[in-house]
Structure formats: C-alpha cells, structure tokens
Amino acid sequence: MDSTRLRKIFLEFFEKRGHKVVPSSSLIPSDQSVLFTTAGMQQFKPYFLGEKSPYGNRVVSIQKSVRTSDIDKVGDESHLTFFEMLGNFSFGGYFKKETIEMATEFLTKKCQLPKKKLWFTFFSGQGDLPEDADSRKFLLETGIPGQRIFSFNKETNWWGPTGNEGPCGPTVEIHFDLTGKPCDWGEKCLPNCQCGRFVEIWNLVFNEYYQNQAGELSPLKQKGVDTGMGLERLAVVCQKKASVFETDLFEPMMGIIAEGDDLERRRIIADHTRSAVFLMSEGIMPLKVERGYILRRLLRKIFNNIEILGLEQDKIYELVRTVVENYKDIYPELGHNEEKIMTIIQRESEKFEKANRAGRKIYDKMKESAQGGELTGAMAFELYSTHSIPLEITQGWERRDGAEIKNIEDYYKLRKEHQEISRAGAEKKFGGIGGEASSPEAIKLHTATHLLHASLRKVLGENIRQMGSDITPERLRFDFSLDRKLSEGEIEEIEKMVNEKIKENLPINKEEMPLERALGSGALAFFREKYPETVSVYSAGDFSKEICVGPHVESTGGLGNFKIIKQESIGSGIRRIKAVLD
Ligand code: SER
C-alpha cells in the first residue's frame, strides 16, 4: 500500500460518501496569528462558524502542513516538521456517530488494518465541560470493546482553536498498537504511553464550542467535524514499518544519506530538507524574521548535520531533487519552482561552505600549534566562543581526522562559566531593561513599550518591525521600520489605543517555552538569532505577545497616561518614537 495509493483511497472513500474534494491550501495561512498552516481545518475555519461553504457541508482534503512545535522531536520514529494531513470535514452536517463509523471503516476495510490493533481515546470531561459520553457510546456501538477505549483530559482529548480564537471541542483519537506488548507499565501502558508501543494516527475533532480571544467558551450554533490523519504515520502502519523514515515517503532520501551511524541526524536532514523544499516552493526565502527565519534555521541545521556526519555538502542537491521528483505530480509548485529552489540552496550552501572553510582553517591552525597536535577542550571552547564554531562541528572534523578532543570536560566547564557571565548582559540585549534602568518607572515604560509595539502594528500594519529600544526612568524610545512620517491622526490613534489598553487593566502573563514554539505562536521577537533555546513570552491580555526577559508590571492598569512626545527619522527607513507616561 504505497503512499500514492493511500492518498487515492482516502479521497475516494470520502468522495463516495458525499464529500467534495478540496485541494490543499497554501502553507502560508490567511490567519495572521499563526506562522504556517498546521492543520487541514484552517482553510475551512469560516465554515465552522456558519459562513456558507462554497463546497457544500462535507469536504475532504489532503493538506500540506508545517508544525515547528515538534521540531525538537524530529529524529524519533514519528515526528516531522512537514506532513500531509488527510482530513474529512463536516460543517453542520454529520457529527460524532458517522465520523467514528467512517473512520473505523476506512482503517479496517480500506487499509485492512486489524481492528484489534486500534485503540481509542475520548474526552473525560474537565471543570465545567462534560464527559464526551456520546463518543464512547458510538465507539462501543461500532464494535470497539471497552478495554480499548479510554478517556483523557483536555490536554490530550481537546483540540483548538488555532490562532487567537476559533472553533474547538472534544476529540476522539485513534491510536495504533505497533508492538502489541505493554512496557514496564503493564496494564497502564495505554495510548499516549511514551514507550513507543502506540502511535496516534487519526484525530477526530468535534467542534462544539467557540473560544474567544479571552479564552471563554460558548456553544457553537452549528456543530462541525474536523479530522486529521498524518499520511506519513498511516504509511507506517499500512506498510508495516517501524518509523516514518522507512516508509516510501522517505526511503529514497534516506538512501542518499545512508552512510554514518547517527540515525537521528540523518532523519533530521531528511525531514528538514523536505520541509525546506515545500516552504521555498511557496516563495518563502531564508530571512531573519518569521517564516524566512524558520526556513533559514532548517537550512542551517541541514548543512550543519551534513558536516557533522562527515558527508559531502553536495548531497543537499541530490536530496532536494529527490523531494521535487517524489512530490511534483501531486504538488506541481515543486516542479515549477525547482530552479528557484536550487538557486536558493546553492546560495545558502555556498555561504555555509565559505564560513565552514574559514572555520576549518582556524581549526587547522590551532591544531597545528597544539602540543602533540592534539586539540583540547579549552581550544574547542575558544573555537566556539570566539569563532562561533559549535562543538559538534569541531567533533565532526576531529572524527574525520580519526582523532578525539582531549580533556573535553574543560569545554563544558568554560562554557558554564561563560554563560554565567553573559547572562546579565543578555538581559539588556534581549529586550529586557536590566541594571540601573530597572526602577519602577522604567518597568512601567517597558510594559508600555510592548503596548506601543502592538499598537503600531495594528495601526500601521503587520510589517512594522522593531529596530531598537531604549528605556530610562523618564521616557521610552522605540525604533521601528517605516519610511515616512506618522500623521497627526496616526499618532493620536496609537496613543488612544495604548491608553485604552492601559484602562482595560490587562494582566501581564509570563510563560517559558522553547524558542520555536514562541515564534510559532506569533510572539514578536527582536534580534531573533541570538535568543536562547528557551525563552520567556510576555503577553498583555490578548493584545500583545513578545519574547522578552522582562521585568514588567503585573497588569497595565497603573501605567498612567501614555503620550508620544517626539517622532523623528534616524536614517534609512527607520522611525524613532519617544514617549512618556504621566
Ligand atoms: N485539527 C486537528 C488536528 O490538527 C484535526 O484535523 O489534529
């Protein structure tokens, strides 16, 4: 059952049951609050809310999706940054019973998966939200024994909304039992166990609620169904493979980078190349911000891992060509943009190679002058701290030389010391105010800066970028990209918006999360490249969300009256605003 066939039987199955086949939408969503299209339902969001669907109330699609939230898990058996999501949807048409019946029928009859290997979970209820007893009933009626049906809370069996607001509701998840054998947890080895026994293949979402920007739920007038099944995972179970990388979707790529024993790195190269090709096929370029930033990170990780594995950098071209070849019939944008994609890859690869050669020279020199020609941990640290050469790259070069870094523990010791020293400095650089400026007045101005930043984007457009910021106890200063003067009206509107948000007394919340997730959630950032792996995200209600080290006030109510006192140009396309609170 190859993946081409899986796609075909999925669409046919639902088409026969009255669903209109709708093509995948772009990876660049129209919903501004998310970076990428992460699910099939995104293009249908308005139809869940009652807008009339031009396709009727039953649709089926295969959606290109990118999820950066799983980027750190790539390398295991099932996580990917790009995947194709198979989904059937109902907008006010059929609901739980039919959804469960069709999904079970598709998996057991069309895909021939043994029913006894399918396990199901449903929503247990939580707080004011009731248990999804209907789903349990319909599962039992479909012939699934109670021993393979379990309930979980909101964290697991609830979905949505995507972005700031939208439809959401309880889910039924279908898991496949890969091994048939419980781990050490015995009877407690159930779906969602981390041991690798189960893989979640299909998520059936029952959109019964609408969540507004304040996080409040209200029942939807029209109930909807949104299902999503990763083609790659379906291929794993249908092709009886142990990981997505062994399916026909990845095999040709894995064949190109077969050498080397570091399976995880080879998987990362394959996954990231596929994602990068799809992103570039939609015109995304490697840049310092937003989507382009994610693309750039993916490319860097590919080049780095190729280097660390000791492979030839030219492999990237072969990999890209293979992705284009494998997918261009289904996604013609890959074929149409092949040349452009190759040009970007070549340019980025050359940049990498240039930096790499320069780094390698420094390394060679250092090694030559080392005692006995042996590289030490302290030298590896110098390569890292002074020349930005990561330890793993140095280790890769050593490996190629058949050598090993001596006294590696010195590297870790020095790195720890270095981190402690730079922490204080980082606070200022990453948007914090730190040091002498952390007076109560400055802290208030800092929070006001976030409100200003969000207001500027709302009034002048989403392409406003922070270019700099400076805060003293007396005033804030904020530089941003704009090549013209602000009108009186605009200044007034911005002031009014900030002051309204002050009056609304928005709570300021701080949340720690991985950088990728922060960026993926739409948090504003500055100097992105230099952020640590885990960042704090500060939000003011639903109005503003920024990566920042703080400090901030607890809520906006006590900030006073916000006033812009000056605007000026500080050179090519950069505008400076000074403002006070009085
Ligand atoms: N939206 C749900 C998901 O992404 C089901 O399609 O899992």
Side-chain angles (χ1 to χ4, degrees):
M1 196 77 89
D2 65 27
S3 50
T4 308
R5 189 160 161 72
L6 288 175
R7 287 189 195 95
K8 187 163 175 276
I9 61 169
F10 183 79
L11 294 178
E12 273 173 10
F13 179 86
F14 285 99
E15 203 176 9
K16 267 205 190 117
R17 285 157 185 79
H19 293 66
K20 168 103 183 123
V21 179
V22 178
S24 171
S25 66
S26 160
L27 279 171
I28 306 172
S30 47
D31 181 348
Q32 289 289 334
S33 61
V34 283
L35 268 192
F36 296 110
T37 299
T38 58
M41 60 78 67
Q42 253 157 287
Q43 67 164 321
F44 305 125
K45 225 166 146 179
Y47 317 136
F48 285 112
L49 305 177
E51 193 178 300
K52 194 170 160 17
S53 153
Y55 315 112
N57 68 2
R58 291 173 176 226
V59 303
V60 60
S61 72
I62 301 179
Q63 177 66 48
K64 305 186 274 186
S65 309
V66 163
R67 285 192 187 172
T68 51
S69 51
D70 287 337
I71 198 163
D72 296 327
K73 295 192 197 130
V74 175
D76 73 358
E77 268 52 49
S78 58
H79 287 92
L80 297 165
T81 51
F82 170 90
F83 59 95
E84 288 172 85
M85 193 180 249
L86 311 172
N88 58 292
F89 306 86
S90 154
F91 318 122
Y94 63 83
F95 204 43
K96 296 181 183 176
K97 184 172 176 343
E98 294 82 346
T99 308
I100 289 168
E101 280 171 4
M102 285 191 287
T104 313
E105 187 186 342
F106 178 75
L107 293 176
T108 55
K109 299 267 162 49
K110 295 289 159 189
C111 301
Q112 311 263 309
L113 295 175
K115 203 169 191 171
K116 63 177 195 303
K117 293 205 171 203
L118 300 177
W119 293 56
F120 296 75
T121 64
F122 69 100
F123 179 52
S124 62
Q126 196 171 332
D128 292 340
L129 296 165
E131 179 194 58
D132 184 7
D134 280 351
S135 285
R136 180 165 193 278
K137 185 174 119 212
F138 298 136
L139 284 168
L140 289 169
E141 281 173 13
T142 314
I144 313 296
Q147 303 92 288
R148 294 207 308 277
I149 306 175
F150 293 88
S151 68
F152 286 85
N153 64 13
K154 236 182 140 184
E155 191 145 327
T156 315
N157 281 86
W158 187 271
W159 206 86
T162 50
N164 293 336
E165 59 185 320
C168 58
T171 70
V172 163
E173 287 188 349
I174 308 179
H175 296 251
F176 188 84
D177 185 352
L178 290 168
T179 66
K181 286 190 203 78
C183 65
D184 291 348
W185 283 61
E187 281 181 9
K188 291 211 186 99
C189 179
L190 301 173
N192 300 317
C193 182
Q194 298 301 308
C195 70
R197 174 180 171 191
F198 294 100
V199 60
E200 180 206 326
I201 52 174
W202 205 343
N203 190 11
L204 316 176
V205 182
F206 303 116
N207 283 321
E208 297 185 66
Y209 298 92
Y210 184 81
Q211 184 176 315
N212 69 12
Q213 295 215 3
E216 297 151 351
L217 294 177
S218 53
L220 275 174
K221 271 193 219 92
Q222 166 199 296
K223 293 188 166 63
V225 174
D226 148 29
T227 86
M229 170 159 62
L231 172 67
E232 291 76 1
R233 291 188 183 182
L234 181 65
V236 166
V237 298
C238 291
Q239 296 172 13
K240 298 198 172 57
K241 300 290 184 187
S243 91
V244 289
F245 297 96
E246 291 166 35
T247 66
D248 63 333
L249 291 160
F250 274 104
E251 245 193 331
M253 297 182 79
M254 295 305 283
I256 296 170
I257 42 174
E259 310 139 47
D261 50 6
D262 199 334
L263 186 60
E264 198 179 316
R265 287 192 194 283
R266 290 191 280 129
R267 287 174 168 180
I268 292 173
I269 294 171
D271 166 79
H272 288 12
T273 304
R274 197 172 67 143
S275 301
V277 169
F278 271 92
L279 293 179
M280 289 183 283
S281 80
E282 296 220 23
I284 298 171
M285 303 284 284
L287 294 171
K288 282 196 182 166
V289 290
E290 299 195 334
R291 299 182 188 100
Y293 166 80
I294 302 286
L295 172 59
R296 209 164 78 159
R297 277 208 59 160
L298 291 171
L299 292 174
R300 292 245 169 111
K301 276 175 84 176
I302 299 168
F303 297 139
N304 268 328
N305 279 310
I306 291 181
E307 194 63 22
I308 293 166
L309 286 178
L311 301 171
E312 291 305 320
Q313 285 293 340
D314 279 0
K315 290 270 187 211
I316 183 74
Y317 300 114
E318 236 178 296
L319 289 169
V320 169
R321 235 173 270 125
T322 306
V323 178
V324 173
E325 205 47 49
N326 286 355
Y327 284 94
K328 70 176 186 209
D329 290 343
I330 310 155
Y331 301 103
E333 60 274 27
L334 266 63
H336 296 155
N337 290 295
E338 183 168 8
E339 222 169 288
K340 205 169 85 193
I341 295 170
M342 280 300 182
T343 312
I344 302 173
I345 288 282
Q346 192 175 357
R347 207 178 51 218
E348 294 299 309
S349 168
E350 277 167 8
K351 257 195 249 168
F352 177 86
E353 283 275 46
K354 200 169 151 213
N356 197 41
R357 269 196 303 274
R360 181 86 209 217
K361 251 194 204 146
I362 300 170
Y363 157 88
D364 285 341
K365 252 206 194 128
M366 203 178 262
K367 219 174 152 172
E368 258 170 47
S369 60
Q371 221 184 3
E374 279 181 308
L375 199 87
T376 64
M379 292 172 184
F381 180 73
E382 195 187 328
L383 287 172
Y384 164 72
S385 62
T386 322
H387 307 286
S388 307
I389 301 167
L391 175 67
E392 286 166 318
I393 295 276
T394 307
Q395 281 173 324
W397 291 336
E398 281 285 275
R399 215 172 294 142
R400 270 189 237 190
D401 276 3
E404 215 178 305
I405 300 173
K406 230 176 102 186
N407 300 336
I408 182 89
E409 62 284 359
D410 286 348
Y411 170 88
Y412 295 107
K413 213 174 90 206
L414 288 164
R415 179 151 184 193
K416 192 154 174 261
E417 281 170 23
H418 180 81
Q419 273 166 347
E420 274 155 20
I421 296 165
S422 55
R423 192 161 297 141
E427 287 193 357
K428 201 167 160 69
K429 200 150 57 189
F430 297 138
I433 52 180
E436 45 188 2
S438 58
S439 66
E441 290 77 22
I443 294 172
K444 283 184 194 169
L445 283 160
H446 187 197
T447 305
T449 306
H450 282 215
L451 297 179
L452 169 65
H453 191 181
S455 303
L456 285 169
R457 288 169 62 92
K458 295 219 158 69
V459 174
L460 303 171
E462 299 284 324
N463 45 2
I464 293 294
R465 298 263 163 273
Q466 171 174 356
M467 307 299 279
S469 154
D470 178 71
I471 293 164
T472 71
E474 287 78 38
R475 56 112 185 100
L476 68 85
R477 195 179 82 195
F478 190 78
D479 302 339
F480 58 100
S481 53
L482 186 73
D483 53 6
R484 63 174 178 83
K485 207 173 156 177
L486 273 70
S487 71
E488 289 288 312
E490 282 169 336
I491 298 235
E492 255 171 47
E493 202 182 336
I494 291 160
E495 284 178 340
K496 198 168 143 230
M497 195 178 278
V498 173
N499 283 319
E500 261 165 24
K501 296 299 151 187
I502 292 175
K503 273 207 206 87
E504 282 172 26
N505 196 17
L506 301 174
I508 307 291
N509 281 316
K510 175 183 169 184
E511 207 189 331
E512 305 257 329
M513 61 179 83
L515 176 62
E516 303 290 349
R517 187 148 73 89
L519 294 174
S521 78
L524 299 180
F526 181 44
F527 286 147
R528 276 197 180 157
E529 258 189 311
K530 294 175 195 149
Y531 283 110
E533 286 297 314
T534 303
V535 294
S536 308
V537 172
Y538 279 87
S539 47
D542 286 311
F543 184 67
S544 121
K545 195 174 190 188
E546 280 194 39
I547 301 178
C548 179
V549 294
H552 284 280
V553 299
E554 277 174 17
S555 58
T556 60
L559 293 186
N561 185 45
F562 174 84
K563 188 149 188 46
I564 294 176
I565 53 170
K566 190 169 182 185
Q567 68 153 320
E568 58 189 321
S569 162
I570 55 161
S572 57
I574 303 179
R575 208 82 209 147
R576 171 168 287 179
I577 279 184
K578 286 187 184 160
V580 294
L581 291 168
D582 53 31

